[in-house]
Amino acid sequence: MITGLLASLLLPFAAPPLARWAAPRLRPSVALWALTGTACVLAAGRLAALGGLLLTGALGVSALARLGHLVHPLDVAPALADPAAALAVGALSLCAYGIARSVLRQLRHYRRAREQVRWATQAGDLSILDRPDPDAYALPGNPGRVVVTSGMLRALDGPEREALLAHERAHLTGRHHWFLAAADLAARCHPALRAVRDAIALTVERVADEAAAAATGDRRLIARAIGRAALAGHGASGAVRPAFAARAVGGPVPQRVRALLHPPTARPLAAAAAACLLVALAAGTTVTTGVGLDLLHRDVEVAQGEAPAAR
């Protein structure tokens, strides 16, 4: 039981190299769903496994077992259960702290960003901040806004501005803030998922790049626009915004430009293999955690006197 739960804590360490290998082999839109779904499953599996380890250690203590209406404490080796429970307490505490801190910070930044937008110049779904530093991002809400600074507008010519705005509108249409928020929360649940969060952020930008290229019909224009926007905004602090407000120059810009100018050749077998491996990793975590929790449940029933002990 404890071994199975501990094993499910190690499986997410396979996610970063797998995400880096799989993402370029999948269509950006497919990769976005696959990576985000996998990260969420791995994060949920880790929390469930830590909860199981904590419960195992707690119900091995006589006083706590009586509070749980157990006839006798769980029959687990203290040398294994106690360190595992201590690990679970520490990991869950760090996770709760990280999530709470991130949520509060992002909400604070979101409120400040909406306040800035309220006093910005409005033109349809576009909000123009009178700031010299070049910046542009998609701010979700009701309604969502494409926020761009006057410095960014001055840095680009007419077609490039339209390309940049098409990119940001793709973020709003695709509701990419949900993917970015989910990836950030998952990364707070397991340190290995931070690299997956970065892969998801890049994939979000790739999806918006492809959508903007389809809308304008000019891949080179999109590549030039994001390249010039990145150069113009290099070193600028930018406006206050939450992390889930996708930026036009987010992710490794050279990699995005390369993908726009030289689209990867479709390889159905490689794409199928990448998708299957991501599904297998998520399924393996689910099964491993589920088996561990099922064994814990059976041990609890035995301790409650509701089931015979396994021989």
Side-chain angles (χ1 to χ4, degrees):
M1 171 185 61
I2 292 179
T3 303
L5 294 175
L6 288 174
S8 67
L9 300 180
L10 299 177
L11 284 174
F13 286 103
L18 179 56
R20 287 191 292 268
W21 181 84
R25 290 164 174 79
L26 295 168
R27 287 206 324 268
S29 57
V30 175
L32 181 58
W33 281 98
L35 292 177
T36 307
T38 301
C40 290
V41 170
L42 295 177
R46 193 209 189 204
L47 293 179
L50 290 174
L53 292 173
L54 177 59
L55 188 60
T56 299
L59 295 182
V61 178
S62 299
L64 296 177
R66 286 195 297 271
L67 288 176
H69 304 289
L70 271 63
V71 176
H72 57 80
L74 285 185
D75 185 16
V76 291
L80 184 60
D82 292 346
L87 168 68
V89 170
L92 287 172
S93 298
L94 289 175
C95 179
Y97 173 76
I99 289 177
R101 182 182 179 187
S102 177
V103 169
L104 292 175
R105 183 174 64 250
Q106 298 310 320
L107 287 176
R108 184 170 65 251
H109 288 177
Y110 180 73
R111 286 194 297 268
R112 291 180 62 183
R114 295 300 298 189
E115 184 68 20
Q116 288 178 338
V117 165
R118 192 194 316 184
W119 303 106
T121 302
Q122 311 294 334
D125 64 347
L126 181 64
S127 297
I128 304 172
L129 299 178
D130 187 15
R131 296 174 59 99
D133 52 310
D135 198 9
Y137 57 94
L139 184 65
N142 188 22
R145 308 294 303 175
V146 174
V147 183
V148 62
T149 64
S150 55
M152 180 64 81
L153 294 178
R154 285 192 296 268
L156 306 177
D157 61 26
E160 290 168 350
R161 290 182 203 131
E162 292 303 319
L164 189 73
L165 297 182
H167 174 98
E168 296 302 337
R169 290 188 176 107
H171 282 312
L172 292 177
T173 302
R175 298 183 180 275
H176 292 163
H177 53 283
W178 290 116
F179 295 94
L180 294 173
D184 184 67
L185 291 178
R188 308 288 173 180
C189 296
H190 198 293
L193 297 180
R194 294 169 188 169
V196 181
R197 175 183 57 189
D198 296 338
I200 291 172
L202 171 59
T203 305
V204 161
E205 297 304 329
R206 289 281 295 113
V207 172
D209 289 342
E210 293 296 330
T216 61
D218 191 341
R219 301 180 68 87
R220 289 186 173 276
L221 173 61
I222 303 300
R224 189 172 75 245
I226 63 174
R228 290 191 62 181
L231 289 174
H234 180 69
S237 59
V240 175
R241 60 181 173 276
F244 55 77
R247 297 183 63 199
V249 294
V253 172
Q255 188 173 338
R256 293 169 52 196
V257 170
R258 184 164 57 250
L260 283 166
L261 297 180
H262 305 287
T265 304
R267 297 179 179 176
L269 291 179
C276 288
L277 287 174
L278 288 171
V279 171
L281 178 59
T285 301
T286 302
V287 170
T288 304
T289 306
V291 169
L293 293 177
D294 183 62
L295 291 174
L296 172 60
H297 180 257
R298 293 175 62 181
D299 286 350
V300 169
E301 288 186 330
V302 170
Q304 289 175 330
E306 298 178 1
R311 294 184 182 273

